[in-house]
Amino acid sequence: MAGEQGLRGAVAEGVGTITIDRPAKRNAMTADMWRALPVLLDGMAADPSVRVVVLTGAGDNFCAGADIGELGAINRHDEGHLSTKAEEALAAFPKPTIAAIEGYCVGGGCQLAAACDLRFAAEGARFGITPAKLGIVYPASATTRIVRLVGPASAKYLLYSADLIGTDHALRIGLLDEVVPAGALRARVAEFTATLASRSLLTQQATKEIVDAIAAGDPVEPRVQAWLAEVVAGGDVAEGVAAFLERRKPNFTWSAPTR
């Protein structure tokens, strides 16, 4: 998959990788990069070979946030708020998503990481949400997401201070799901994504929709019933049971809802 505007997309062995590729600027996101991210995500959502997506950064950093020189274009106070559109596209992506984080994950970088389902980081990574350094009001959607992730007190700590925190602190408050030794992140993420790619996408996609609905306080039962109907229509359960009885790896074939 060709990259554009400082982002690179690639697909291999069921894993789609989106790389924020502007290392000379610590992968700060320009307006064009924020615009390009939903396009890349749409392509991977439509690709049945993609089972999980990893968002990462080129070089030594994940993402240092929005390009300060383009803030006016990125964070317009209208329906063109580009970072919010990209964040919401990432959060709504139907398949599992993982942020693989090294170095700086700050501002808009933290916004993107929080929009992923899971966050893995190498020791030494640094995290911060920095609008208080610029007099900016953090977007409502991003604030809501960080509150759900780390709780009100930790969200206030990050937003009030704009201080950077390390991986131990980030793991303790729930901003991270896993921390690995420096130099081991790529191997660990590859191992975990291979596991996800071998599991039932039907189960994963249903889980994502239902868990997100619970977190948002939305009605859940209609979604559960719809997914139960999808289970009946699909073949993953029969394959999973057969594989278990035959002591082999399952070959799940479900790839998209028929509803």
Side-chain angles (χ1 to χ4, degrees):
M1 182 179 296
E4 55 180 301
Q5 308 295 353
L7 297 178
R8 288 188 283 112
V11 177
E13 298 181 352
V15 179
T17 301
I18 297 176
T19 303
I20 306 169
D21 190 9
R22 202 177 175 223
K25 296 292 185 179
R26 292 180 175 173
N27 297 324
M29 296 273 290
T30 64
D32 283 341
M33 291 165 71
W34 289 109
R35 291 189 188 97
L37 181 56
V39 177
L40 277 174
L41 289 167
D42 284 347
M44 290 188 178
D47 185 345
S49 73
V50 175
R51 305 297 300 275
V52 55
V53 163
V54 175
L55 180 66
T56 192
D60 298 326
N61 296 290
F62 179 73
C63 176
D67 188 310
I68 298 296
E70 299 192 21
L71 277 182
I74 294 167
N75 292 341
R76 301 204 310 269
H77 294 289
D78 58 19
E79 294 182 359
H81 204 296
L82 298 180
S83 63
T84 296
K85 286 185 173 182
E87 169 208 347
E88 291 181 341
L90 182 56
F93 189 79
K95 305 169 189 179
T97 55
I98 300 172
I101 302 162
E102 293 180 293
Y104 284 101
C105 178
V106 179
C110 220
Q111 184 178 2
L112 290 174
C116 291
D117 294 320
L118 300 170
R119 287 150 295 282
F120 287 30
E123 291 176 345
R126 304 284 284 171
F127 303 84
I129 304 176
T130 54
K133 288 186 175 181
L134 299 168
I136 295 171
V137 176
Y138 207 45
S141 62
T143 303
T144 300
R145 190 161 284 113
I146 201 71
V147 169
R148 288 177 184 155
L149 192 59
V150 305
S154 291
K156 289 175 182 176
Y157 178 99
L158 293 168
L159 286 160
Y160 285 173
S161 70
D163 285 345
L164 301 188
I165 63 172
T167 51
D168 288 347
H169 189 162
L171 185 64
R172 185 173 69 250
I173 64 176
L175 186 58
L176 289 177
D177 298 288
E178 194 168 317
V179 176
V180 301
L185 181 64
R186 183 174 298 183
R188 174 56 185 142
V189 170
E191 176 188 46
F192 189 73
T193 54
T195 296
L196 296 192
S198 73
R199 307 302 194 214
S200 168
L201 182 60
L202 188 155
T203 298
Q204 293 167 345
Q205 197 158 324
T207 298
K208 181 165 186 170
E209 185 175 318
I210 292 165
V211 169
D212 287 351
I214 292 169
D218 294 337
V220 173
E221 191 57 31
R223 300 167 192 261
V224 172
Q225 293 303 317
W227 280 108
L228 289 175
E230 189 67 31
V231 168
V232 172
D236 274 12
V237 171
E239 171 60 15
V241 170
F244 178 81
L245 294 175
E246 297 166 13
R247 297 184 179 180
R248 61 173 174 81
K249 291 182 178 179
N251 179 28
F252 294 117
T253 57
W254 186 92
S255 60
T258 57
R259 54 189 169 88

